[in-house]
Each structure stands twice: as C-alpha cells, then as structure tokens.
Amino acid sequence: MSAEHEAMGRSLELLWGERAQPSRGPRPKMSVTKIVEAAVALADAEGLGALSMQRVAAGLGYTTMSLYRYVPAKEQLIDLMVDHAIGSPPAELADAPDWRTGLEGWTRAFWQVCHRHPWLLKVQVDRPPVGPNQLSWLEGGLKALAGLGFEGYERVSVVTFVFAAVQGLAKVSLDQRPLSAGAEGPVANAYAAALGRYVRPDRYPELAGIMAGGAFDVPADYPDPDDLLPDLEFGLSHLLNGIEAFVQTRQSPP
C-alpha cells in the first residue's frame, strides 16, 4: 500500500471514529475533538500557516508528543479540521420547495462557511470528500438535483463545478480584503482608477469600453463593496438557467 493510501486510511479511521483512543496510563483529559477544536480556533485566528502540532499542544497545555497519541500527523489533523469546520449543511436545505431553491441555498451556505473559516481555501484538495460532514454537503447538493433526469455522474459534475466556483470566488474575495483595509473606497474603484492610464482603447478595446461605461464603479452605499457575492449570484443564476434548459430539452419528445 502506498504512503498516500496509508495516510488516507488513518484519516478515515479518525474521521469516522474507528481509531481506538489511548488506554494506557491515567484517564486521558484530551480527546480528538478537543484537539481539533483547538486547531480550528488557531487557524481561524492566525491562518493555516500558523498551524503546527507544537502550537496546538501548547495551547492545550500538553506536550507535542502527547498529541501524537491521538492524531498521528499534521496531515490527519488538517483532514479532521476541514470536516469539523465545514460542519453539516443547514437542515432547512432539505425542505427546499424545488431543485433551484435548494441548490441556491446550498451554494450560499457554503459561501458563508468559506468566509467563516478562510484557511479552508488554503488546504490542498488532493482527494474527493471523505469525512462525514463533507459527504453530507455532497449529499445535499446531489439531493437538490434529484428527479431531474440527470445521470449520476452528471449530478456529481454539477455539484463539483458549483463547489469549485464558490471556493474560487471566495478566495478572491478574501484575498483582496487586505487591499481594501487601507483604501479609500472599494477595491474595484481603486483598480479602475489605477489602470485607467494604461488601458488604451487601441490595445484593449473591450476592457477600455466597459471601464468607460462604469463596469468597475461600485456605489458608495453598497453593503459590502469588496464582496464578490454578486459575481457568484450572477454566475450561479446563469448556470441554473442552463441546467433548466438542458433538462427541458432532454425531457422534450424528439
């Protein structure tokens, strides 16, 4: 068995509660749950780059070696952190009146998760979802598309695309916030002002045209001018329109 498969096997045992807890010595005051909660709090406060087994152990008042009795490596700790941080999808999504409302709610809920725990967007995604909460989100997205006549792989493709779109836009939204902290006005406005002298119509006719038309101007009273949620809503709306048209075409008699 490869090292990657062994690592995933250890993560699965921890994620699904199959790994035995330490039984030797005095009754343990630590638990996997406490370790994960402390690690998530650290990542929320200081980012994923600050995470180490040593920092987590120190925050709990234990030695680093004592953590390894519960979680064998940082890789497994991060797997546990991801599943814990995303939690379960909101229960009310299961009662959505139609597929479109359900998928829209699923998307917005995951967008909020990304903004509550920005470090999630720094975790390398090198395997499909394996944790119980991750699978609950996948289940929720698949359920929203049930009954539309999609093949199984088609539903998975739609959910994967929406998931990736949310992650990508959330990352851009969060990455640009430090720029807005010291800016006078929204980043989009500053961006347009800075590039205005370089975007010439003879070289960038389309970009120059939409900039002249105010495409990057954000009203001063916009609730969160540097949040890309409007971009997400725009893309999601047209994606769902496309799905609806695709379903109608498939269901129509030849």
Side-chain angles (χ1 to χ4, degrees), residues 86 105-115 137 163 166-167:
I86 66 171
W106 184 95
T107 303
R108 295 189 187 103
F110 190 66
W111 174 268
Q112 293 170 1
V113 168
C114 292
H115 281 73
W137 280 92
F163 173 80
V166 172
Q167 279 197 313

Side-chain angles (χ1 to χ4, degrees), residues 22 30 53-54 57-58 62-72:
M30 261 197 306
M53 300 293 275
Q54 183 178 8
Y62 290 90
T63 65
T64 305
M65 289 305 299
S66 64
L67 252 66
Y68 288 111
R69 300 175 63 202
Y70 296 83
V71 182

Side-chain angles (χ1 to χ4, degrees), residues 171-190:
K171 186 177 187 305
V172 173
S173 173
L174 290 163
D175 285 351
Q176 73 182 16
R177 286 193 173 183
L179 299 176
S180 65
E184 297 180 0
V187 168
N189 290 352

Side-chain angles (χ1 to χ4, degrees), residues 14 19-22 27-32 35 65-72 80:
L14 287 163
R19 184 181 176 89
Q21 296 295 295
R27 184 172 181 176
K29 296 180 180 180
M30 261 197 306
S31 67
V32 171
I35 293 170
M65 289 305 299
S66 64
L67 252 66
Y68 288 111
R69 300 175 63 202
Y70 296 83
V71 182
L80 291 165

Side-chain angles (χ1 to χ4, degrees), residues 77-125:
L77 178 59
I78 291 176
D79 283 339
L80 291 165
M81 290 169 60
V82 169
D83 204 65
H84 178 83
I86 66 171
S88 300
E92 60 268 21
L93 294 181
D95 300 321
D98 55 74
W99 72 269
R100 187 164 184 140
T101 303
L103 196 56
E104 287 174 343
W106 184 95
T107 303
R108 295 189 187 103
F110 190 66
W111 174 268
Q112 293 170 1
V113 168
C114 292
H115 281 73
R116 282 197 299 270
H117 305 285
W119 56 268
L120 284 170
L121 303 172
K122 305 292 186 181
V123 176
Q124 182 177 353
V125 182

Side-chain angles (χ1 to χ4, degrees), residues 103 138-162:
L103 196 56
L138 177 58
E139 174 72 12
L142 295 174
K143 183 177 181 181
L145 296 169
L148 292 180
F150 280 121
E151 300 290 342
Y153 75 90
E154 292 174 332
R155 282 197 282 165
V156 171
S157 295
V158 171
V159 173
T160 301
F161 183 87
V162 175

